[in-house]
Amino acid sequence: MSFPRRLAATYGQIWRTYWSWAPSILLLAVVVFVPLGLLNALTMNVELDSLNITNGIKLAAFALAVTVVTATGLIGEVFFSGAIAISLTHPHGEKPPGLREIAQRLNYGRLIAVDLVFVGIVAAGLILGVVPGVLAYVWLGLAGPLVELEGCSVGGALRRSMQLVRGGFWLVFWVLVPIEIAGDAIGEGLAALVHDLLGHTFLATWLAESLADAALSPVFAVAAVLLTVDRMVAKEGSAPPLHSAPVPA
């Protein structure tokens, strides 16, 4: 299969899976991203003009703020992709897992640690330039699902992600990067709409961030899980069974 057709097939599978699992995925997303929306809102409401600093330091602070806002926008995506991995690979014959079951099965410590390390490395890459940040984003983008699918440690998940991406870098790149860029653009549109309706208040910023993340981050999570399984099959010939739709009770 040619690369364009393979890429199109991957996007088709992502959309079908997202649509089939939308009710449970979106409910889980609200639980995860409403609290994280508060963190993003706090970051975005920092006013540099209110700080008594020189122009040179202010410029550096602005560049750092842009990096921090970008980084905090990524917080939760890796954690959430681990949660989605549980939903999409639950044992055959089970009813779709509920929030309680997912909560009981999540490896919280490792997922949070992987999420923070991922965000830190991507943020450091963005400080050095766009290319290092994007490379880190792609090479480490499969770490979250691997914590749940293979029980990897923090370092093991990051190394395993790089191992799986190797040989399929451009497929992972052309799936995860456009999804992130499109998600950011749509999120900004949603934020502008919320601000037009509610004004530029802290509550409006929190609501805008929460809605955007809860609606759009699941797309990244589904894509990361499907890519992880695809790369396992491509490199090793086997992977955990994947459900494209909830199995009826």
Side-chain angles (χ1 to χ4, degrees), residues 121-152:
I121 294 175
V122 172
L126 290 173
I127 292 174
L128 296 175
V130 174
V131 173
V134 171
L135 289 176
Y137 181 81
V138 175
W139 282 106
L140 304 178
L142 308 184
L146 287 166
V147 171
E148 295 299 338
L149 295 178
E150 295 187 341
C152 294

Side-chain angles (χ1 to χ4, degrees):
M1 181 184 297
S2 66
F3 181 79
R5 291 183 62 184
R6 185 181 179 194
L7 184 62
T10 301
Y11 272 109
Q13 186 182 15
I14 292 169
W15 169 250
R16 290 190 299 272
T17 304
Y18 178 89
W19 182 256
S20 298
W21 287 86
S24 59
I25 284 177
L26 293 177
L27 178 60
L28 179 60
V30 168
V31 173
V32 172
F33 289 106
V34 167
L36 288 175
L38 176 61
L39 173 61
N40 291 345
L42 289 171
T43 304
M44 295 180 68
N45 276 271
V46 174
E47 295 289 345
L48 290 177
D49 289 336
S50 65
L51 303 178
N52 186 22
I53 53 179
T54 65
N55 288 335
I57 298 177
K58 186 177 291 187
L59 180 61
F62 176 77
L64 180 60
V66 171
T67 301
V68 170
V69 169
T70 303
T72 54
L74 298 177
I75 290 178
E77 287 191 346
V78 173
F79 179 91
F80 192 68
S81 66
I84 295 301
I86 292 176
S87 295
L88 299 185
T89 59
H90 65 277
H92 182 71
E94 276 189 16
K95 63 181 181 180
L99 290 178
R100 178 178 296 181
E101 180 183 349
I102 293 174
Q104 291 173 343
R105 294 173 58 180
L106 277 173
N107 292 294
Y108 290 95
R110 276 178 283 174
L111 279 174
I112 292 172
V114 168
D115 205 334
L116 294 177
V117 171
F118 172 78
V119 169
I121 294 175
V122 172
L126 290 173
I127 292 174
L128 296 175
V130 174
V131 173
V134 171
L135 289 176
Y137 181 81
V138 175
W139 282 106
L140 304 178
L142 308 184
L146 287 166
V147 171
E148 295 299 338
L149 295 178
E150 295 187 341
C152 294
S153 64
V154 176
L158 298 172
R159 291 190 297 271
R160 179 70 166 143
S161 178
M162 296 179 67
Q163 178 188 5
L164 291 178
V165 171
R166 187 177 296 113
F169 176 87
W170 289 113
L171 177 64
V172 178
F173 175 92
W174 284 112
V175 172
L176 294 188
V177 173
I179 285 176
E180 186 64 36
I181 293 174
D184 287 344
I186 296 172
E188 290 177 3
L190 288 175
L193 178 61
V194 172
H195 285 306
D196 287 342
L197 295 174
L198 302 178
H200 291 272
T201 64
F202 176 79
L203 181 61
T205 301
W206 183 9
L207 178 61
E209 288 295 308
S210 300
L211 285 176
D213 288 342
L216 301 171
S217 292
V219 181
F220 169 88
V222 170
V225 173
L226 295 182
L227 284 171
T228 302
V229 172
D230 177 82
R231 294 306 303 153
M232 286 179 176
V233 173
K235 295 182 75 72
E236 297 156 1
S238 63
L242 185 68
H243 303 293
S244 58
V247 177

